[in-house]
């Protein structure tokens, strides 16, 4: 199956092991970090070599932030749409003076003085040499190489003094090894051989026809913008975007250039993932200025996803809709890390920013437990309660623009970390009670955050990369920018009417109960290949389901539902 490019977000978390020292690591106490087999350790780094570590300082008023987010996102609230400015968010969550003083004193006592903070003052990025090994006892930095890429990492657990630990959430730039990027062309070819039906291919014209977008449905508001974020050495090429619009954008007004690149574009071949994201958010959210956040991982100790999160907390004016096609298995990440990233999503949502994540391309997923038992494997950030997660569909008839069924790869399920948010309890419980033949409850957490929330077509897209049109590109990395572009068009109409941005969409989406969406009721997605579930995860059903959410956009109806304040 085709899967959106994985991005491994592993970072440190801390477990108390004695009265004076704290062991911080990825997975289990008293164990070192497992080095991926495809990375080769070259040797210890030079003592003068510069390292960059990110320190996540403990924030204040996180509960109040969540409360405010739900108020400004709920049409039934008097505070709906009254979003906060970045300065107001900073005043709310800024770490206490004590926290800032303790962490800075700890760093300075080890000679670490080259530190930069952000407007919200809840992260410190510090440059240092191997003094980091004294700062974090137990750590040993080595150089690792793979396919011409060089990284500095530690494979050993480390300690932080208890007096400092209570002021930190995690330290980034220590352990994470990026996974080997997939060759998407090879993956997509495998999908075709695996039995996927032949399809003439999805283009902007196909998508605009299916979701009832006319030539007049393009952006025109002056203060609107949208964005995609790219990691893992993925870059778009301006020439590819121009060629794509020449081939596929003639029937509607559009832009053929990115409005702003935040970060540094890499050289060399274009990335298929980056090309897909840019071309389809700009052809669905047509004529709307688009930004690309890109992080080539130039510094050997950078955490690219973390760099993007820090940018959001340090920029006063940023696009209103962001789509991201990356994720990782929940069980590969620490709860402390995911909780903190959730807070960063809340910080964005309370400002009126909509963040969309792809649900993944492994269906319900499969985790192999002990004694031959299996369970489904949810993905993060798709499982975050504070983002809108996008699943995937296919046309029932591959030769016509007709109704949609589930795409068998569409990620979905139930979080093992986050409880089910109040806004979706009724919909999810309705599914669990009404649908016969559910997988055994030992495979999933019935009380966890359920996803996806919405869906769109996710298979057989045409993409231009390196000036060549490529067919059969598939995955929820395709459906996510399509939904993002449609939400940007709705924002556009809201702005023209003097209304605020949509912001965090989920509370309102679940209140609509499918209004403005095409319900997808046919098909199931994949899961564990074992005797109990035999490769089948969850199945689509009327209303919400954990394969396609509430369904796919019917733009005119969804626009009508979302431009009304009540």
């Amino acid at each position: 199956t085709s899967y959106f490019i994985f991005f491994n977000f592993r970072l440190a978390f801390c477990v108390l092991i004695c009265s004076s020292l704290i062991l911080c690591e990825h997975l289990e106490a008293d164990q070192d970090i497992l080095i991926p087999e495809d990375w080769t350790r070259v040797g210890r780094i030079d003592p003068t070599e510069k390292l960059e570590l990110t320190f996540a300082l403990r924030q204040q008023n996180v509960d109040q932030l969540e409360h405010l987010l739900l108020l400004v996102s709920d049409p039934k609230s008097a505070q709906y749409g009254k979003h906060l400015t970045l300065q107001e968010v900073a005043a709310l969550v800024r770490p206490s003076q004590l926290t800032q003083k303790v962490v800075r004193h700890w760093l300075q006592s080890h000679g670490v003085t080259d530190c930069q903070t952000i407007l919200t003052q809840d992260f410190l990025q510090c440059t240092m040499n191997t003094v980091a090994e004294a700062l974090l006892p137990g750590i040993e930095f080595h150089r690792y190489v793979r396919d011409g890429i060089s990284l500095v990492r530690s494979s050993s657990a480390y300690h932080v003094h208890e007096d400092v630990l209570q002021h930190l959430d995690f330290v980034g730039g220590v352990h994470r090894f990026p996974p080997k990027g997939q060759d998407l062309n090879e993956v997509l070819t495998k999908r075709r051989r695996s039995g996927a039906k032949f399809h003439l291919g999805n283009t902007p014209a196909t998508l605009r026809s299916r979701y009832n977008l006319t030539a007049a449905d393009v952006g025109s508001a002056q203060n609107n913008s949208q964005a995609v974020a790219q990691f893992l050495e993925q870059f778009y090429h301006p020439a590819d975007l121009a060629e794509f619009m020449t081939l596929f954008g003639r029937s509607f007004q559009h832009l053929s250039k990115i409005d702003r690149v935040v970060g540094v574009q890499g050289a060399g071949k274009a990335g298929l993932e980056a090309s897909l994201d840019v071309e389809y958010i700009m052809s669905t959210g047509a004529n709307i200025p688009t930004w690309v956040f890109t992080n080539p991982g130039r510094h050997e100790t950078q955490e690219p996803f973390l760099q993007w999160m820090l940018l959001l907390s340090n920029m006063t004016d940023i696009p209103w809709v962001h789509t991201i096609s990356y994720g990782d298995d929940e069980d590969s990440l620490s709860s402390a890390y995911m909780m903190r990233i959730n807070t960063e999503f809340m910080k964005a949502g309370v400002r009126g920013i909509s963040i969309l994540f792809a649900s993944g391309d492994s269906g319900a997923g499969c985790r192999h437990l002990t004694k031959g038992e299996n369970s489904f494997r949810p993905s993060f950030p798709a499982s975050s309660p504070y983002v809108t997660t996008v699943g995937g569909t296919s046309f029932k008839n591959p030769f016509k623009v007709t109704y949609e069924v589930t795409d068998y790869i569409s990620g979905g399920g139930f979080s093992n970390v986050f409880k089910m948010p109040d806004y979706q309890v009724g919909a999810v419980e309705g599914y669990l009670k009404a649908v016969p033949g559910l997988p055994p409850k030992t495979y999933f957490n019935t009380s966890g955050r359920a996803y996806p929330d919405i869906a769109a077509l996710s298979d057989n897209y045409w993409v231009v990369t390196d000036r060549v049109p490529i067919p059969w590109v598939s995955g929820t990395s395709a459906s996510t920018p399509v939904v993002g572009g449609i939400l940007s068009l709705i924002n556009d109409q809201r702005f023209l009417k003097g209304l605020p941005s949509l912001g965090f969409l989920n509370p309102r989406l679940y209140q609509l109960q499918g209004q403005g969406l095409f319900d997808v009721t046919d098909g199931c997605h994949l899961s564990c290949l074992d005797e109990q579930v035999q490769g089948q995860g969850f199945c689509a059903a009327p209303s919400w389901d954990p394969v396609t959410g509430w369904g796919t956009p019917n733009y005119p109806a969804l626009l009508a539902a979302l431009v009304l304040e009540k």
Side-chain angles (χ1 to χ4, degrees):
T1 63
S2 165
Y3 192 27
F4 64 101
I5 298 177
F6 277 96
F7 181 70
N8 185 345
F9 300 138
R10 292 179 179 170
L11 291 169
F13 73 97
C14 302
V15 181
L16 182 64
I17 60 167
C18 64
S19 60
S20 61
L21 291 178
I22 304 297
L23 176 65
C24 297
E25 56 175 67
H26 276 109
L27 301 176
E28 298 178 9
D30 303 318
Q31 290 185 0
D32 287 343
I33 309 307
L34 181 65
I35 305 301
E37 293 181 357
D38 52 348
W39 287 93
T40 301
R41 188 166 78 177
V42 177
R44 295 271 282 159
I45 66 171
D46 187 284
T48 62
E49 184 159 352
K50 295 297 184 181
L51 304 171
E52 184 178 278
L53 302 184
T54 302
F55 300 87
L57 278 64
R58 190 69 51 84
Q59 298 155 315
Q60 298 188 97
N61 304 314
V62 174
D63 290 344
Q64 186 178 349
L65 174 67
E66 180 182 33
H67 180 66
L68 284 173
L69 171 63
L70 296 176
L71 287 178
V72 301
S73 306
D74 182 356
K76 296 179 180 179
S77 165
Q79 291 182 246
Y80 177 69
K82 297 179 180 179
H83 301 123
L84 275 61
T85 65
L86 178 57
Q87 289 75 13
E88 289 170 332
V89 173
L92 182 65
V93 303
R94 183 180 295 123
S96 68
Q97 290 295 322
L98 177 62
T99 289
Q100 296 184 57
K101 181 178 180 180
V102 168
V103 174
R104 286 186 177 274
H105 181 267
W106 171 60
L107 293 169
Q108 291 169 2
S109 68
H110 288 82
V112 180
T113 57
D114 184 6
C115 295
Q116 304 294 324
T117 189
I118 59 176
L119 194 148
T120 50
Q121 298 181 354
D122 45 4
F123 285 99
L124 283 174
Q125 288 188 295
C126 301
T127 302
M128 64 196 79
N129 54 27
T130 50
V131 69
E133 295 181 353
L135 182 72
L136 304 170
I139 209 166
E140 288 187 357
F141 282 107
H142 293 80
R143 184 175 303 284
Y144 295 83
V145 296
R146 183 194 68 192
D147 299 335
I149 300 173
S150 172
L151 288 178
V152 174
R153 291 291 185 269
S154 172
S155 63
S156 56
Y158 61 87
H159 302 80
V160 175
H161 195 279
E162 183 179 27
D163 293 342
V164 178
L165 176 69
Q166 61 183 307
H167 300 286
L168 285 176
D169 284 332
F170 63 79
V171 180
V174 177
H175 289 147
R176 189 191 68 81
F177 282 82
K180 191 170 185 177
Q182 297 181 19
D183 183 337
L184 287 191
N185 289 313
E186 179 182 349
V187 172
L188 298 170
T189 301
K190 289 180 180 177
R191 174 171 178 163
R192 290 169 57 198
R193 288 199 299 263
S194 70
K197 294 180 179 179
F198 176 76
H199 196 296
L200 297 178
N202 285 321
T203 66
T206 309
L207 296 166
R208 294 178 72 86
S209 174
R210 169 56 184 162
Y211 299 134
N212 291 322
L213 291 162
T214 70
D217 292 319
V218 298
S220 60
Q222 295 298 310
N223 57 335
N224 198 11
S225 56
Q226 57 192 3
V228 298
Q230 304 294 342
F231 315 107
L232 292 180
E233 306 294 336
Q234 281 283 315
F235 314 109
Y236 91 98
H237 277 189
D240 291 338
L241 176 59
E243 180 72 11
F244 178 85
M245 289 302 185
T246 298
L247 292 173
F248 301 116
R250 296 181 179 181
S251 62
F252 54 90
Q253 186 177 355
H254 60 266
L255 300 175
S256 296
K257 293 182 179 180
I258 290 293
D259 191 62
R260 181 175 176 184
V261 174
V262 181
V264 179
Q265 277 280 101
K269 294 178 64 177
L272 187 57
E273 176 69 58
S275 301
L276 172 67
D277 289 352
V278 167
E279 289 166 9
Y280 279 92
I281 196 171
M282 292 187 68
S283 56
T284 309
N287 212 46
I288 294 174
T290 303
W291 296 21
V292 172
F293 286 79
T294 181
N295 191 307
R298 300 181 312 280
H299 196 291
E300 293 178 334
T301 53
Q302 280 185 345
E303 301 278 5
F305 179 77
L306 199 53
Q307 297 293 316
W308 172 71
M309 295 299 306
L310 267 61
L311 283 170
L312 295 189
S313 287
N314 206 38
M315 300 179 71
T316 302
D317 298 312
I318 56 176
W320 297 107
V321 173
H322 295 247
T323 75
I324 305 95
S325 299
Y326 305 90
D328 205 356
D329 300 323
E330 268 190 355
D331 57 86
S332 71
L333 307 169
S334 76
S335 295
Y337 167 74
M338 290 186 282
M339 293 297 184
R340 175 57 185 263
I341 296 302
N342 273 344
T343 303
E344 300 308 305
F345 293 148
M346 287 191 281
K347 286 164 57 179
V350 81
R351 294 171 60 190
I353 298 165
S354 302
I355 297 185
L356 282 65
F357 272 90
S359 69
D361 291 4
S362 299
C366 187
R367 186 183 183 191
H368 303 293
L369 306 175
T370 57
K371 300 179 181 179
E373 296 178 350
N374 295 323
S375 69
F376 295 159
R377 197 171 203 176
S379 175
F380 181 83
S383 64
S384 168
Y386 308 111
V387 303
T388 298
T389 304
V390 183
T393 62
S394 303
F395 279 126
K396 176 68 174 179
N397 185 332
F399 302 103
K400 293 182 179 180
V401 178
T402 180
Y403 75 93
E404 296 161 74
V405 297
T406 63
D407 190 344
Y408 69 97
I409 55 88
S410 179
F414 296 76
S415 173
N416 291 321
V417 177
F418 310 110
K419 68 176 184 179
M420 189 181 300
D422 290 343
Y423 61 73
Q424 69 170 182
V425 168
V428 178
E429 289 185 346
Y431 174 85
L432 294 175
K433 292 177 181 178
V435 175
L438 288 172
K441 291 185 178 180
T442 55
Y443 278 72
F444 66 102
N445 175 22
T446 58
S447 62
R449 185 319 200 211
Y451 69 96
D453 306 299
I454 195 170
L457 287 160
S458 58
D459 72 333
N460 299 321
Y461 278 59
W462 281 89
V463 177
V464 173
T465 188
D466 292 315
R467 303 296 296 273
V468 177
I470 298 175
W472 301 300
V473 179
S474 303
T476 52
S477 52
S479 55
T480 305
V482 168
V483 174
I486 288 174
L487 294 182
S488 290
L489 288 177
I490 294 173
N491 267 341
D492 207 83
Q493 292 299 309
R494 288 178 63 86
F495 295 154
L496 292 174
K497 295 178 180 295
L499 300 175
S501 63
L502 289 169
F504 177 45
L505 182 64
N506 290 11
R508 189 165 194 177
L509 181 65
Y510 281 79
Q511 287 179 24
L512 290 176
Q513 297 185 337
Q515 182 183 350
L517 299 166
F518 294 116
D519 196 6
V520 179
T521 60
D522 185 4
C524 308
H525 64 183
L526 55 84
S527 71
C528 301
L529 286 171
D530 59 27
E531 291 184 4
Q532 288 206 67
V533 296
Q534 301 180 27
Q536 180 173 295
F538 298 100
C539 295
S543 297
W544 181 90
D545 61 69
V547 188
T548 62
W550 286 104
T552 62
N554 178 3
Y555 176 71
L558 189 60
L559 175 67
L562 292 176
V563 296
L564 300 176
E565 280 295 86
K566 297 294 182 181

